[in-house]
Amino acid sequence: PVLRGKERCDVVIVLTHEGIDRGDEPPPGGLAENQAGRIAREVPGIDLVLTGHTHQNIAPRREGNAWISQPGEYGNTLTRFDLTLERQAGAWRVTDVSGRNLPMKDVAPDPELVALSETEHRQTMEKLAETVARVDRPVSAEGARTEDTAILDWLHGVQLREGKAELSFASLLPSTLRTWEKDVTVRDLWSFYPYENSLVTLRATGKQVRDLLHVEDLVELLFEQSIRARPTAATTTPRPWPTRSG
């Protein structure tokens, strides 16, 4: 009513950082985060839903009354939609939609755009290469998502110290984190936590902490169930619960 009516939009396009749910099963334990398909199927008045997050190459297709797609990852694919609009009852209406995913592998970068960003790109690479710390032995993140590691202990130590806290919970570490051999650079730190996570200290009761740990147990149970149902997931799916230390 708002977009089509008050705002008088002819076309409604949703950009969402969510994957496309399967649609044939309920969210396990209510924890599913990929609801783009439900948005397309259940929210009226949408023409296109452009998704992301799960890094899949999903060609345009119809879901309910809307069209949905996902263009791969890291710019390797471009989704193109072509819409036909006709004037009906004093308003423009979408009467036809077609779309396809276009691979970008063999597309040469625009030289003008490359030249415009050359200075900033060089400065960024120089900044990322700066050394901010040194280690006297290799520090690896291998297994950090499922077991205690030195790099995870270091992270919790930093959070406990800087947060002046007694208990530390941390986000997942990337499975692609390279081993720190000697010099730790700005790039390593950004690879360690690729998002600008903010450290927050708060008061919590023992019950709240216990409940959070029980949520972790539930997620672990769901993960183990998915492994039994799909054994290959053991090597491709990270365990999705936060780690803690105290």
Side-chain angles (χ1 to χ4, degrees):
V2 175
L3 294 178
R4 297 286 187 181
K6 181 179 179 181
E7 300 296 335
R8 302 176 63 185
C9 295
D10 298 317
V11 179
V12 176
I13 301 174
V14 173
L15 305 179
T16 178
H17 193 96
E18 293 186 87
I20 302 175
D21 54 297
R22 290 179 56 182
D24 58 355
E25 58 186 17
L31 297 175
E33 61 180 350
N34 298 309
Q35 299 295 307
R38 292 190 62 196
I39 293 174
R41 294 188 299 272
E42 299 178 16
V43 179
I46 295 175
D47 295 299
L48 308 178
V49 180
L50 307 180
T51 72
H53 186 55
T54 50
H55 297 193
Q56 295 173 291
N57 185 348
I58 300 176
R61 69 190 190 203
R62 197 175 186 90
E63 292 259 355
N65 292 321
W67 283 76
I68 194 169
S69 73
Q70 186 173 139
E73 58 183 353
Y74 306 119
N76 64 7
T77 306
L78 173 71
T79 293
R80 170 172 174 160
F81 275 108
D82 292 283
L83 280 67
T84 301
L85 281 76
E86 294 182 0
R87 196 78 172 171
Q88 298 177 0
W92 290 101
R93 305 293 182 189
V94 176
T95 58
D96 186 64
V97 178
S98 62
R100 55 187 175 136
N101 279 359
L102 305 172
M104 294 289 102
K105 181 179 179 181
D106 297 323
V107 177
D110 185 289
E112 184 176 353
L113 292 179
V114 172
L116 287 173
S117 61
E118 184 176 358
T119 300
E120 289 76 10
H121 181 266
R122 185 185 69 255
Q123 293 173 345
T124 301
M125 294 301 102
E126 291 173 351
K127 182 64 178 180
L128 290 174
E130 290 182 4
T131 297
V132 294
R134 288 186 171 87
V135 294
D136 59 7
R137 68 194 67 183
V139 180
S140 172
E142 184 178 359
R145 292 190 169 193
T146 57
E147 59 190 37
D148 291 333
T149 63
I151 201 168
L152 201 56
D153 289 342
W154 171 78
L155 170 61
H156 284 302
V158 171
Q159 293 192 161
L160 289 169
R161 184 190 69 211
E162 298 299 323
K164 299 178 176 57
E166 297 175 295
L167 184 65
S168 169
F169 285 84
S171 299
L172 292 171
L173 297 182
S175 57
T176 56
L177 190 67
R178 80 171 184 90
T179 299
W180 296 353
E181 298 286 354
K182 181 180 178 182
D183 294 337
V184 180
T185 66
V186 174
R187 182 188 296 276
D188 290 323
L189 296 185
W190 276 107
S191 299
F192 188 81
Y193 258 4
Y195 308 106
E196 296 185 13
N197 292 312
S198 298
L199 180 62
V200 177
T201 303
L202 49 81
R203 291 183 179 275
T205 65
K207 181 180 183 302
Q208 289 172 321
V209 173
R210 184 188 63 187
D211 290 345
L212 179 57
L213 295 176
H214 284 175
V215 169
E216 294 183 29
D217 292 338
L218 171 61
V219 176
E220 180 175 2
L221 175 61
L222 293 172
F223 179 83
E224 295 298 342
Q225 290 176 345
S226 71
I227 294 302
R228 287 194 292 270
R230 187 165 53 94
T232 55
T235 58
T236 60
T237 305
R239 294 170 183 255
W241 64 82
T243 61
R244 69 270 189 186
S245 179

